[in-house]
Amino acid sequence: MHSPSDFLLAAKRCELGGLEHLREMVGLVSRIADLVHELQRERGASNVFLGSRGAQFGAERQRIAERAAALEADVRTQFAALDESATAGTCGMRLFNRIAMALAMLEGLALLRQRIAVQQLQPVQVIEAYGEVIGCLLAVVIEAVDSAGDPAISRLLVALFHLMQGKELAGQERALGVVAFSTGHIPREQQTRLLDLIDREERSFAVFMEFAEPCSRQTWLDLNSNAVMLEVERMRRTLVAAHGPLAADAAVTLRWFDQASRRLDAIRDIEQSISDALAALCEARIGEARADLRDQTSLLLKSEKIGPLPAASIAVFMDYPAAGCADASPPVGLLSASGLGPQLGSSVIDLLQAQAQRIQDVSDELAKTRATLNEGKLIERAKGLLMARRGLSEEHAHRLLRQTAMNQNRRLVDIAEATLALIDLIPDTP
Amino acid sequence: MHSPSDFLLAAKRCELGGLEHLREMVGLVSRIADLVHELQRERGASNVFLGSRGAQFGAERQRIAERAAALEADVRTQFAALDESATAGTCGMRLFNRIAMALAMLEGLALLRQRIAVQQLQPVQVIEAYGEVIGCLLAVVIEAVDSAGDPAISRLLVALFHLMQGKELAGQERALGVVAFSTGHIPREQQTRLLDLIDREERSFAVFMEFAEPCSRQTWLDLNSNAVMLEVERMRRTLVAAHGPLAADAAVTLRWFDQASRRLDAIRDIEQSISDALAALCEARIGEARADLRDQTSLLLKSEKIGPLPAASIAVFMDYPAAGCADASPPVGLLSASGLGPQLGSSVIDLLQAQAQRIQDVSDELAKTRATLNEGKLIERAKGLLMARRGLSEEHAHRLLRQTAMNQNRRLVDIAEATLALIDLIPDTP
């Protein structure tokens, strides 16, 4: 590579390569979403099974576990097929580390299933165990999302991730409800946990709504005003308002499981339609980038034949960064204005100009999307810090942050940031 | 790649690949620094030449231009040798686009030199033209800095970039002073511009001081309290306090050029020592990463022979993200605590654990460094916006932002951010 044209085309090839990698990531995320959905179902069914002391869902649980194992194999195939060279540097390091962690967690599933089969575990342990596996799978998704370099795709991925996150919280809620209804009582701390889950679900879904495309948003609104959601809300009220034993039996448990599952399945449908939209978007963007690359290549070849244009035609350069600022700075441009500009064909300059502008636009867009992703991370980290330093439960830590934010009329993320900044002021509680 | 160990090692290879790419970038930045220094010298000498109507620095200018051309060839060689596959995606796209732009600007140098030789240009045009070329080269540097995935290297690169930026502003200041002393007067707007340059120099150098290693910081402090700086300050005062003609002649011009050049050369020495430190740091980090990779590979091979350890030994997993948060979340870990953890050797788990922790630490560190880099970019963009929308000069825009920040007792970057957020409220001024 020697000339400006060479590097112009190299930049375009990088964009294309990035999009192709992104398509691979989108495929991976879809397979993970499939697996996560089945694991959530397995968790719920396992809890009905344990709650009924093995009377219900014995065969059902088996079938779901087999489907989950098949989907796990698909995910493993996708992992194995990843191109190491396409994910160099920090991004690759993070992604592969998360995958290593997720694979390590998946190795534990067989033993988990055995113990559930012989009813050796408490339902609450089952909830935690599946939650850990799914958490590690979602951690892979977040790395895939973070590496997206295309604003439209990045927005949809952020929407999808938050939908998956909210759905997992809803899955935990379903499992918690199954335990409560099947045992006929819900301890105080599980009520708090339920409220916390609902609150976090809503936060995740709010981000989803911010970034999703109109069609999914409408489906979501419909879903939230239908009969299923109404019944889920009624049963939620029963759970959080209970003092003492719940007037519940196997039928009520199944009813809750059924309605909560319908809700999860409906969310799953939205997930799939976003996945499909993402796949289509990737194809479209790759098609565009390929066409651009083809057009630019032939244009640049042609312009090299024509030879350099008069220097006066390069005033467009003036929009480019000037001395001492080196980033998206305003016109100064005497090198061009004084007719001293580069001796290049106008097509090269047009392309350079257009590409620089597009890169700036893309960066601005991405920065906005990433800010949202980072806010979520900040809140989780502040929560983790409070849990580690002050020995709080996740629910308690979350409530503390939220309460502080409300009292001070500030955003949750600001309080989280302040918490992290004051890390050294928070003493360890043994 | 199939097992957690495979991905653990892949993550390590990514880190190593990232470091090797970074070494290449550091080499590129060093060559760019060499070229920029020579171009700055050429600009200064050209202005002495033009200011003396060709009486002084004719041969000198020629020699410098030849050296600059040789250094330009070195930079071009580095550009040509870049491995396209090592800079995939958005990073590569941005880098190659900047390089294309820089190469396009360099093409204009020959014509610029011709026009200077026949004294067809005003000194102020020369300042702008070289400023544009150097600005484009610095824009390449900022992309190299932005792609750094190692905190220590990233900090040094940020220090180096701001030193280069400050030095370029100092170079413009030198050229401006040459014009003033050699013409015997300095118009009001050039005085304002000088003050603005000094202010921006100080801002750049402050960031440099924040991120540089102690040795360079000390050299900088020494430099700022020596006799050269004292004389530069005295001559600066003459320039900014002047009402009407300056009591200046060819000797005074040369004296200013000489002292200002000594200052630039001293800054250049610091630049070079940071470049050397960076090269050494890259080698050291690559050596460490290679040794790690070797150790981990043999450790994992050994542990596979030993076979799985008892599940109880994997409690370390508990520090890993749990369900629903997917990022650096606190211990929940029933899958492990309940003895259901992955059936892996303890060495794999130790490594996974250590790597996850290190990745988190690295990300935290990088986030801090990048925040500084982004603040600079935000300020430049807010300035650009004011210039475009309100038709202000760069100096004026800068002063407006700074004044607003001082009046409101807020940081410059906050005002810049607010300006960008209110973009639609600022009307276009034709």
Side-chain angles (χ1 to χ4, degrees):
Chain A
M1 297 193 286
H2 296 280
S3 71
S5 311
D6 293 340
F7 282 93
L8 199 61
L9 295 177
K12 203 75 207 172
R13 280 194 300 271
C14 280
E15 187 186 1
L16 182 57
L19 286 167
E20 282 165 345
H21 172 63
L22 205 46
R23 173 171 59 183
E24 204 182 358
M25 288 293 109
V26 164
L28 179 62
V29 169
S30 296
R31 293 296 79 72
I32 290 178
D34 295 341
L35 173 58
V36 163
H37 187 63
E38 211 58 37
L39 289 175
Q40 287 164 339
R41 201 177 290 184
E42 190 181 335
R43 171 177 53 197
S46 298
N47 275 350
V48 175
F49 174 77
L50 290 173
S52 67
R53 300 186 187 276
Q56 290 170 324
F57 276 21
E60 181 103 22
R61 200 188 66 82
Q62 198 71 30
R63 269 198 306 279
I64 298 175
E66 276 159 26
R67 274 205 302 272
L71 293 171
E72 183 188 329
D74 289 348
V75 168
R76 285 178 179 269
T77 307
Q78 291 264 339
F79 283 163
L82 282 177
D83 180 6
E84 193 178 323
S85 68
T87 42
T90 325
C91 282
M93 182 170 73
R94 297 183 65 105
L95 178 68
F96 290 138
N97 187 259
R98 297 295 197 186
I99 290 177
M101 204 61 103
L103 284 174
M105 297 308 280
L106 289 172
E107 316 261 285
L109 275 179
L111 184 56
L112 177 63
R113 284 173 186 139
Q114 281 171 29
R115 296 222 181 165
I116 293 169
V118 295
Q119 301 179 46
Q120 254 185 12
L121 286 173
Q122 297 300 315
V124 82
Q125 290 178 302
V126 172
I127 298 180
E128 298 293 349
Y130 279 96
E132 271 204 351
V133 179
I134 294 170
C136 280
L137 289 168
L138 288 179
V140 175
V141 172
I142 213 171
E143 293 307 326
V145 175
D146 220 6
S147 70
D150 181 90
I153 297 174
S154 175
R155 286 183 64 85
L156 270 190
L157 274 170
V158 166
L160 179 58
F161 170 73
H162 284 89
L163 192 65
M164 290 176 75
Q165 192 177 44
K167 175 163 164 279
E168 166 54 10
L169 295 163
Q172 293 180 20
E173 185 199 341
R174 172 176 64 182
L176 215 70
V178 166
V179 177
F181 284 120
S182 64
T183 57
H185 85 113
I186 177 167
R188 189 80 197 87
E189 80 268 16
Q190 294 299 321
Q191 286 182 324
T192 311
R193 183 154 177 217
L194 191 66
L195 286 170
D196 174 65
L197 283 172
I198 294 171
D199 183 67
R200 285 159 66 204
E201 277 171 49
E202 280 167 4
R203 199 152 51 83
S204 291
F205 292 135
V207 178
F208 153 74
M209 284 296 274
E210 191 182 338
F211 287 95
E213 83 289 14
C215 171
S216 303
R217 280 211 300 269
Q218 191 53 52
T219 314
W220 174 256
L221 291 175
D222 295 344
L223 166 64
N224 274 281
S225 51
N226 71 9
V228 171
M229 199 57 213
L230 184 65
E231 186 153 0
V232 168
E233 281 293 3
R234 278 204 194 104
M235 296 182 95
R236 277 175 168 179
R237 176 166 47 78
T238 310
L239 288 171
V240 300
H243 295 285
L246 288 163
D249 54 20
V252 175
T253 308
L254 282 183
R255 184 74 192 158
W256 161 260
F257 182 71
D258 186 52
Q259 295 302 304
S261 297
R262 280 184 183 214
R263 179 174 176 237
L264 258 76
D265 288 342
I267 301 177
R268 170 77 188 136
D269 288 343
I270 304 180
E271 245 180 46
Q272 274 175 327
S273 83
I274 300 184
S275 279
D276 293 346
L278 268 167
L281 192 56
C282 283
E283 288 305 334
R285 295 284 299 106
I286 287 171
E288 280 168 35
R290 281 212 184 111
D292 274 6
L293 186 58
R294 217 167 29 231
D295 293 352
Q296 290 188 9
T297 309
S298 66
L299 196 70
L300 292 173
L301 276 175
K302 218 182 295 166
S303 97
E304 271 165 22
K305 275 183 212 136
I306 294 172
L309 290 201
S313 68
I314 51 134
V316 280
F317 253 108
M318 300 202 309
D319 277 347
Y320 208 68
C325 37
D327 196 77
S329 159
V332 178
L334 252 172
L335 184 54
S336 27
S338 57
L340 289 166
Q343 304 300 295
L344 297 166
S346 68
S347 43
V348 183
I349 289 149
D350 288 350
L351 288 179
L352 267 173
Q353 175 66 13
Q355 209 179 50
Q357 185 57 50
R358 219 168 56 75
I359 287 176
Q360 187 58 53
D361 294 346
V362 163
S363 305
D364 287 356
E365 270 289 307
L366 281 176
K368 278 186 224 161
T369 316
R370 291 232 172 97
T372 303
L373 208 56
N374 285 334
E375 284 182 7
K377 289 187 189 178
L378 276 178
I379 293 167
E380 291 305 326
R381 290 188 47 214
K383 218 157 64 181
L385 180 75
L386 287 174
M387 293 166 72
R389 293 282 178 111
R390 305 237 342 239
L392 302 180
S393 71
E394 185 167 11
E395 288 75 32
H396 196 161
H398 180 71
R399 243 176 314 133
L400 192 64
L401 286 173
R402 202 185 41 184
Q403 201 54 53
T404 311
M406 277 164 65
N407 292 348
Q408 301 188 14
N409 199 17
R410 289 168 71 193
R411 294 188 321 146
L412 191 55
V413 64
D414 296 332
I415 299 299
E417 212 158 8
T419 306
L420 290 169
L422 299 177
I423 180 165
D424 295 327
L425 297 184
I426 303 172
D428 282 3
T429 315
Chain B
M1 297 194 287
H2 296 281
S3 71
S5 309
D6 293 340
F7 282 94
L8 199 61
L9 294 177
K12 203 75 207 173
R13 282 194 299 272
C14 280
E15 188 187 358
L16 181 58
L19 286 168
E20 282 165 346
H21 172 63
L22 204 46
R23 173 171 59 184
E24 203 181 0
M25 287 295 108
V26 164
L28 179 62
V29 169
S30 296
R31 294 295 78 72
I32 290 178
D34 294 341
L35 173 58
V36 164
H37 187 63
E38 211 59 37
L39 289 175
Q40 286 164 339
R41 200 176 289 185
E42 189 180 336
R43 171 177 54 196
S46 298
N47 274 351
V48 176
F49 174 77
L50 290 172
S52 67
R53 300 184 186 280
Q56 289 171 321
F57 276 20
E60 180 104 22
R61 200 188 66 83
Q62 198 72 31
R63 270 197 306 276
I64 297 174
E66 277 160 25
R67 275 205 302 272
L71 293 171
E72 182 187 329
D74 289 348
V75 168
R76 285 177 180 270
T77 307
Q78 291 266 339
F79 284 163
L82 282 177
D83 180 7
E84 193 177 325
S85 68
T87 43
T90 324
C91 281
M93 182 171 74
R94 297 183 66 105
L95 178 68
F96 291 139
N97 188 260
R98 297 295 198 186
I99 290 177
M101 203 61 101
L103 284 173
M105 296 308 280
L106 289 172
E107 317 261 284
L109 276 179
L111 185 55
L112 176 63
R113 285 173 184 141
Q114 281 171 31
R115 296 222 182 164
I116 293 170
V118 296
Q119 302 180 44
Q120 255 185 13
L121 286 173
Q122 296 302 313
V124 82
Q125 291 178 302
V126 172
I127 297 179
E128 298 292 349
Y130 280 96
E132 270 203 353
V133 179
I134 293 169
C136 281
L137 288 168
L138 288 179
V140 175
V141 173
I142 211 169
E143 293 307 326
V145 175
D146 220 6
S147 70
D150 180 271
I153 297 175
S154 176
R155 285 182 65 86
L156 270 189
L157 274 170
V158 168
L160 179 58
F161 170 74
H162 284 89
L163 191 66
M164 290 176 74
Q165 193 177 43
K167 176 163 165 278
E168 166 55 10
L169 295 163
Q172 292 181 22
E173 185 199 340
R174 172 176 65 184
L176 215 70
V178 166
V179 176
F181 284 120
S182 64
T183 57
H185 84 112
I186 177 166
R188 190 76 197 92
E189 80 269 15
Q190 293 300 321
Q191 286 181 323
T192 310
R193 185 158 175 213
L194 192 65
L195 286 170
D196 173 65
L197 283 172
I198 294 170
D199 183 67
R200 285 159 66 206
E201 278 171 49
E202 280 166 5
R203 199 153 49 83
S204 291
F205 292 134
V207 178
F208 152 73
M209 284 295 274
E210 192 182 337
F211 287 95
E213 83 289 13
C215 171
S216 302
R217 280 211 300 270
Q218 190 54 51
T219 314
W220 174 256
L221 290 176
D222 295 345
L223 166 64
N224 274 281
S225 52
N226 70 11
V228 171
M229 199 57 214
L230 184 66
E231 186 152 1
V232 168
E233 280 295 2
R234 277 205 195 104
M235 296 183 93
R236 276 175 168 178
R237 175 166 48 78
T238 311
L239 288 171
V240 300
H243 295 285
L246 288 163
D249 55 20
V252 175
T253 308
L254 282 183
R255 183 76 193 158
W256 161 260
F257 182 72
D258 186 50
Q259 295 302 305
S261 296
R262 281 180 183 220
R263 180 173 175 236
L264 259 77
D265 288 343
I267 301 177
R268 169 77 187 135
D269 288 343
I270 304 180
E271 246 180 46
Q272 273 175 326
S273 82
I274 299 185
S275 279
D276 293 346
L278 268 167
L281 192 55
C282 283
E283 288 305 334
R285 294 284 300 108
I286 287 172
E288 279 168 35
R290 281 211 184 113
D292 275 6
L293 186 57
R294 217 166 31 229
D295 293 351
Q296 292 188 9
T297 309
S298 64
L299 196 69
L300 291 173
L301 275 175
K302 221 182 295 166
S303 97
E304 271 166 22
K305 275 183 214 137
I306 294 171
L309 291 200
S313 68
I314 51 136
V316 282
F317 252 110
M318 300 202 308
D319 278 347
Y320 208 68
C325 37
D327 196 76
S329 159
V332 176
L334 253 172
L335 184 54
S336 27
S338 57
L340 289 167
Q343 304 300 294
L344 296 166
S346 68
S347 44
V348 183
I349 290 149
D350 287 351
L351 288 178
L352 268 172
Q353 174 65 14
Q355 208 179 52
Q357 186 56 50
R358 219 169 56 75
I359 288 177
Q360 188 56 56
D361 293 347
V362 163
S363 305
D364 288 355
E365 269 290 307
L366 280 176
K368 279 187 223 160
T369 316
R370 290 233 173 95
T372 303
L373 208 58
N374 285 334
E375 283 181 8
K377 289 187 188 175
L378 276 177
I379 293 167
E380 291 305 325
R381 290 188 47 214
K383 217 156 68 180
L385 181 76
L386 287 174
M387 293 165 72
R389 292 284 178 111
R390 305 234 346 236
L392 303 181
S393 70
E394 186 167 9
E395 289 74 34
H396 195 161
H398 179 72
R399 243 176 314 135
L400 192 63
L401 287 173
R402 203 184 41 184
Q403 201 55 53
T404 311
M406 277 164 64
N407 292 347
Q408 302 188 15
N409 199 18
R410 289 169 70 194
R411 294 188 321 146
L412 190 54
V413 65
D414 296 333
I415 298 300
E417 211 158 8
T419 306
L420 290 169
L422 299 176
I423 179 166
D424 295 327
L425 298 184
I426 302 172
D428 282 3
T429 315

